[in-house]
Amino acid sequence: MKSRIKLLTAATMLAGVAVSSASAQELVLGEFGGSFADNVKACYIDVFEKETGATVVTKFANSAQQAAAIRATAGQSDMDVVFADDAFAVQMANEGLLVTLDRAKLGNAPEIIDGAWGKDDAYVAAMLGSTTIIYNKDKITTPPTSWNDLFDEAYKGRVTIGDISGTTGWQFLAAVNKMAGGSLDDITPGIEKIKPLAKDAVLLYTQADQVVSLFERGEIDIAVWYPDRAGVQIGNGLPLAVAYPKEGAVGIRPSIMIPKGTEQEDLALKFIDTVLDADNQKCFSERQFIGSVNKNVSLSDAVSAVVPTGEALDDMMFLDPSEMATKLPEWTRRWQREVLR
């Protein structure tokens, strides 16, 4: 059984060094890697550690991997608080793996938009993102306008898309399937359309930041990716641009939740409250180029130019996380059986 509270060592006690119990607390955070992790540390972890004296230990994985880890240790998770996209949060909630969030212990709860809360407060969205098209503007001078542009012969062997184990993978499948005439109950049109693209893709990535190195090495010109990750890399000097397809990008609600089995529920709630704070939300949105869920946050022009606004926001497709939670297992089986064959 893991140790949640670090005990004072005998040496420390003998030396008479005073260490408060609060400063010895440890919180294990499951989160995404890359720039996401860098900015979570800068905007949330550093603030939380300063305010509580606790230490945050991080474990990196995508949403599917986080859900699998929590499922494998059902009721005895080795993580205290976890980031995962809402479709996976719904799966875990339906399986009884999550702690109900006590809004009375979240001082920032009244400032959060209503649509951010999961059913029965099993989780809360921490930010608003999307799956869309990112391209190298030095290589592609005419901006893409449709998901269909990814299938252009000109980009054959210069494309990357996400594997279905990641959010962009199944969201791209949903978008292409709808464009091809399918429905959430019938993804055959989408599977058939994606097969050749997946075969010719440079990589079916499983971690979002794998795309960064592909663009850096000049191995791809266009990708199905996240505007927030692209915004960070634009700031780092990569010649990337964001295109929102006319059929609509797919909305994402990266969420935060507490797995059952934690011995640090109150500390986990304090971390979530830190994440929901307006100043900390603004910090993260400005660094990560992603939308905020706190109603009191206003974004800079630079960030507003990357996140979906206006017509692009109106056209965005938001999939019901409860429905997707029931669909994804079969979609994953078909992807592995038919797309990866």
Side-chain angles (χ1 to χ4, degrees):
M1 182 177 177
K2 65 179 182 176
S3 173
R4 298 294 187 164
I5 308 294
K6 293 179 178 177
L7 301 177
L8 296 175
T9 65
T12 301
M13 295 176 69
L14 287 172
V17 177
V19 179
S20 71
S21 60
S23 68
Q25 286 185 297
E26 179 181 284
L27 186 82
V28 181
L29 169 67
E31 62 160 323
F32 313 126
S35 60
F36 185 95
D38 295 339
N39 293 325
V40 163
K41 183 172 190 324
C43 298
Y44 300 138
I45 293 177
D46 287 351
V47 173
F48 173 78
E49 289 183 333
K50 183 177 181 180
E51 291 181 348
T52 64
T55 299
V56 176
V57 176
T58 53
K59 299 183 71 173
F60 302 135
N62 64 30
S63 294
Q65 293 164 338
Q66 299 286 20
I70 292 171
R71 192 173 291 118
T73 56
Q76 296 181 320
S77 175
D78 61 352
M79 294 182 284
D80 301 304
V81 61
V82 175
F83 283 103
D85 292 340
D86 58 357
F88 293 93
V90 169
Q91 289 180 16
M92 290 184 274
N94 290 343
E95 295 167 30
L97 299 174
L98 302 181
V99 173
T100 299
L101 302 181
D102 185 351
R103 291 199 203 190
K105 294 183 177 179
L106 298 171
N108 294 298
E111 300 178 7
I112 305 306
I113 59 175
D114 291 340
W117 298 96
K119 184 180 178 183
D120 298 327
D121 291 348
Y123 62 91
V124 60
M127 59 204 77
L128 297 174
S130 65
T131 290
T132 192
I133 301 170
I134 311 298
Y135 63 100
N136 183 328
K137 62 183 182 181
D138 287 350
K139 300 289 185 179
I140 299 176
T141 54
T142 301
T145 59
S146 167
W147 290 119
N148 265 324
D149 291 338
L150 290 153
F151 299 83
D152 191 316
E153 282 289 313
Y155 307 138
K156 186 174 182 179
R158 304 289 298 169
V159 179
T160 186
I161 64 175
D163 181 76
I164 200 165
S165 62
T167 300
T168 62
W170 64 263
Q171 289 201 336
F172 180 53
L173 173 58
V176 168
N177 184 57
K178 181 181 178 183
M179 185 176 66
S183 68
L184 295 183
D185 292 322
D186 177 18
I187 59 166
T188 299
I191 290 282
E192 292 301 318
K193 187 167 180 64
I194 283 179
K195 276 183 184 177
L197 181 66
K199 182 179 179 181
D200 292 334
V202 173
L203 176 70
L204 302 184
Y205 66 89
T206 57
Q207 302 293 333
D209 272 38
Q210 290 175 287
V211 180
V212 177
S213 57
L214 294 176
F215 273 123
E216 286 177 334
R217 294 195 298 263
E219 296 181 26
I220 59 171
D221 296 329
I222 192 168
V224 176
W225 204 31
Y226 305 113
D228 57 300
R229 303 285 179 141
V232 172
Q233 297 310 318
I234 291 169
N236 290 338
L238 278 180
L240 303 181
V242 179
Y244 288 96
K246 61 185 179 184
E247 299 87 1
V250 187
I252 304 172
R253 298 184 184 92
S255 301
I256 190 164
M257 61 219 70
I258 302 174
K260 281 187 177 176
T262 176
E263 298 173 10
Q264 298 282 32
E265 184 174 330
D266 284 344
L267 196 61
L269 283 167
K270 288 179 182 176
F271 184 81
I272 291 177
D273 209 28
T274 301
V275 169
L276 300 181
D277 175 82
D279 289 341
N280 302 334
Q281 285 260 304
K282 182 175 177 62
C283 169
F284 189 79
S285 291
E286 292 291 330
R287 285 171 172 262
Q288 191 64 25
F289 291 81
I290 200 165
S292 168
V293 295
N294 189 305
K295 292 178 283 191
N296 297 326
V297 173
S298 59
L299 301 178
S300 66
D301 291 343
V303 175
S304 296
V306 173
V307 301
T309 58
E311 188 174 347
L313 183 59
D314 292 340
D315 291 340
M316 189 171 291
M317 177 169 58
F318 280 99
L319 296 163
D320 181 348
S322 298
E323 184 172 16
M324 293 314 304
T326 65
K327 303 292 185 189
L328 281 178
E330 175 59 19
W331 287 25
T332 300
R333 283 191 288 271
R334 289 198 59 182
W335 178 280
Q336 292 171 339
R337 191 170 61 235
E338 301 174 47
V339 175
L340 300 184
R341 184 176 60 187

